[in-house]
Structures are given as C-alpha cells and as structure tokens.
Amino acid sequence: MKKLSEVLEDWEAVIGLEIHTELTALDTKMFCNCRLSHDDEPNANVCPVCLGLPGALPVPNKRAIESIVMAGLATNCEIQKHSMFYRKHYFYPDMAKNFQTTQGPVAFAMYGHLDLEVTGQGAAERPDCAFGAEQADSLASASAGAEGLSTSMTATMREGNQRAGHLASYDASNMQMPERRADGSYTVPIRILRIHMEEDAAKMVHVGGAEGRITAAAESLVDYNRCGTPLIELVTEPDLRTPEEARLFMEKLRQTFLTLGISDCSMEKGSMRCDGNVSLRRRGSTKLGTKTEMKNLNSFKSLHDALEYEICRQAEVLEEGGIIYQETRHWEPSRRRTVVMRVKETADDYRLFPDPDLAPFDLTDEFIEAARAQIPELPDAKRDRYMADFGLKSADAAQLAGDPAVAAFFEEAVAGVDAKAVATVGNVMVNLAPSYDALTPAQVASISALLAADAITFAQAREVLDLVNGTDKDPEKVVDEKGMRQVTDTGALEPIVDEVLGRCTDQVQQYRDGNKKVLGFLVGQCMKAAKGSGNPKLFNQLLAQKLG
C-alpha cells in the first residue's frame, strides 16, 4: 500500500468520530440505584431494572443529567431544554432487555465545537492542498451528505433539527477556515453535532479468543455490573481530515472531561473509547465516498493507526477499481490491520421509538445555570493564563494545563517561588519531573529556584531529583551536602578560563577562523578544570568576551 502522505495528496479523507465516555465519577447507574464499579465480583451490582426484568421501571439519574449538561457547555454546545429517551433495539447478549435506552433526534447538547491546535510533525499530515477555499467547499459538501455518521438516527436528526437560532459558528459557511502558519502549524475548528445520554451495555468476556475477541473462543461470559452505566456519546461532524487531527480531538476531549471531573476517562479500562468513521473521495470532489467504521478504539495510538491503515486500504481498493462496502471493522494492533466485523446497521434496523416508561425532559434555566456554575477553569483558558502570568511556552503550558492533577501540583509549586523561578517550575515539570512519581510541590519549587539562580545545572537537577524522590529531603540541603552548588563569582572563574585558553590554542584559532561550535568544547574544558563546580553559562560568557 502507498504511504499516508502519498494517499492524501490525491485523496481527501473525511473523518468523523463517535466518542463514548462512561460517567465513572457517579455513584450509581443511569436508571437504578445499583453501585457503579469496575472492580467488584462479576454480576454483584445488578437489580431488576438493569437486568431488564418484566415490570421494572427506570428512574433517571439527576447527577448524570447535570454531567452531560456540563459536558455540553464545556464544548460550546447549545443545551436543549426539551428532549426525551428512546429505545434502541438489537439482539445482543450484553443487553438483557434487548434494547438500549438512549436519546432520539434531540439530544441534551447539540451544535458545539472545539478548536484544535495542530503543531509539529502531526501538522505535516495535512497536505498544503487541503487549505483555503477548497477546504470550505469540502466542509459544506461533507456535512450535507453525512448520513450514517452515527448509528443512532443521524439522517432523522439532520431532518428534525434544522431550526433557526442554532449557533451561527456551527454552520460550515461561517467557520474560520484553517491556514498554515510559517512554522507549519494550523488551527482547525471541529464541529460537534450532538452529545447524547445512554446506558452502557454489559461486559463480554470471551475465554480463549485471540486478543480477547469472540473468534475461536471456547466460551463467552457476561458481567452485568457495567450494564446500565451512565454513558455520554459525542458525535462530531465529518470535519476531521487526518488521523492526527482525530487523535488530537480525542486527547483534547479527554482533558476537558477530566477537568470537569465527570469521568476517569480511562481508555485502558474502557471508560472512554472511540469509533472512527472514514471515507475517501478524490480531491475536489463534492460526493462522499462509502464510509467504514473502526469500532471500540481504546487508545490514542490505536485511533491514529487504525485510521491511517484504513485510509491507505481504501485508496488501494479504489485505485484498483474495487468497491468499498459500508461495514464495521476491528483494528488488530498486533497485525496492524483492520478486519471486517459486520455489515453496518442503519437507523431502521434499530426500530427506535420513544421510551414509554420515561417522561420527556424539560430542563429549566436554573438547572442549566447550576450545572454551568460547577464548571472549573478549562484547559485552554488555563493554558492561556499560564502563558500570560508565568511566561510559559505554549506547548509547556498546554501540557501542564491538560491534566487537572498536574495543574494543581504546578500551581502549588509556583506559589512557593519568586517571579524569576516561576517559568523554571514549568520547565522542570515538563522536562524532568515526569520521570519521578513521588515528588512534592515544595521539592519541585526548591529545585526550580536553584536552577533559576544558576546554582545547579539541569544535569545536576536530575541527580538531585533522584536523591529526593520519595523522601522528605530538602533539595537545597542535598545540593550543599554533595558540593554541587555552582560557583558564580566571575573573579574565581576567570583564572580557569585563562588557563584553558592558554593550552587549547588550536581550538582558539578555529573559533577565530569562524568555527563557533568549538565554544562548546572550551566550555566543557572549563567545567572539567573546575571539577563541575563552575557555572557553564558564566564560562560561556567569559570565553566569548575573551575570544572577541
């Protein structure tokens, strides 16, 4: 198969995501009082409601509704005051009542968007031809023809929700088109069609199957503890054009939901997972190709790699005159390929109708505003504040702001240092601290202050971290005990510089002939002569002065 870069020069990938997130921060299930837990004995937390026994009546979880409203507000969605639950029918053993309770054409949250900052190597995935006026036409035609994006009544949703008054910024014609900046990066808005509430299915355990799949399994077991777990599903518009954009979108959504505190977003445990939909069309075409869906991708890497493989596979099939079939496919990481799971269902297959046991919802302004009041500072706003207040680089600020626990640690650490050392705290946490899991904010603040004062080097800082990690030791005392503190007295360093220049005559001449890189060698000689106690920045400055 061709490489992704070759394929995307000729073909446009139209990608939409369906991201499922369990509301693990809640105590009970969506429609009953059974306890939420992934760790209890199988089938320990069940009742007539989540087992679908005759005559059992569901009661909605108020805190789950608050959580989805928070999620909608945090992703710039309109909150729909009037909505209702539907029954979505299918015959699978992981749903004992043979239907899933979900939302219909109107979800609690609709018509939102998130802006993606795409930088570095990932930005190169989108070719230069995918910018400008052509991209505007691409978005409009993809949205108009995006039937079947979600398994849950997408066509009906689009017909039933064409109403005046929804967010103007949501319309493709009003969107700010991405432009590539000088460094190759760009910002792209990704629209969110809806975030709806539903209940999760039970967990299937296939004993003896390859990679946990049913194929070749000796037996299949069902654990109904997960059945009925409150789950929100976010459906994007088909605005994504590269696997990297899809990966970044899911990463940003995970950071947002973690900050809201509504889920642990554990992709390893399955509380956050993604279905990726992709189709290809020739560049410049306005007709959508047939899409395939990659089901239950549970890591950022799997999402990226599955989409990359599928884009290249579809291109190969189409270029050989073959046909792409609408189907659900499974990503096999060990073999790095997708395989067919089943032919894709349509909305009619689910026989959706309003749930007669659940009354329609009419959310009040007071309820919505109470949910809004619970939303903390979100990652983008926190990143911007870190850049403005602490002088951090954008990438460092985003990394710290993206994890609420890391952000809280950082803010506690900067509270104990002076203004000069503030940016150094962020630098230490991004470049050094991730390797250590038992530091205290005070220790990070102390090491940062030492670095900011040029009392130690970054190499020495790593050594100090090794010595204090998991202890209550004071880094400053450790530095003094080990004799690491750098000499910053220029009067004490000048004789060393003179001695090095006197014996390294060849390197001095090379420098004066234009080879500036040799300065690094001379600094190293000075550090060696000072037995590591001299400040390398000062050595650098003194050498440059004396060499002219």
Side-chain angles (χ1 to χ4, degrees), residues 4 28 39 98 105 122 272 274 281 372 403 416 422 427 433 440 453 458 466 511 516 531 535 546:
L4 180 68
T28 57
D39 302 321
N98 281 333
M272 190 175 201
C274 180
R281 60 182 176 183
R372 190 192 305 275
D403 186 316
V422 164
N427 200 11
T440 67
F458 252 86
D466 283 329
Y511 182 89
K516 303 302 181 184
K531 298 181 179 179
N535 185 283
K546 290 181 179 292

Side-chain angles (χ1 to χ4, degrees), residues 429-502:
M429 289 190 62
V430 168
N431 294 292
L432 297 179
S435 302
Y436 305 90
D437 58 3
L439 294 169
T440 67
Q443 287 171 330
V444 170
S446 177
I447 291 171
S448 301
L450 289 164
L451 280 166
D454 291 328
I456 56 174
T457 65
F458 252 86
Q460 290 174 315
R462 193 178 296 278
E463 186 178 348
V464 175
L465 285 168
D466 283 329
L467 294 170
V468 304
N469 187 45
T471 75
D472 59 357
K473 294 180 180 179
D474 180 352
E476 190 153 354
K477 291 182 179 178
V478 169
V479 167
D480 289 332
E481 289 170 0
K482 298 292 183 180
M484 295 181 181
R485 194 176 291 272
Q486 300 288 295
V487 176
T488 57
D489 179 6
T490 56
L493 298 182
E494 276 197 87
I496 298 175
V497 171
D498 292 338
E499 185 272 329
V500 168
L501 292 176

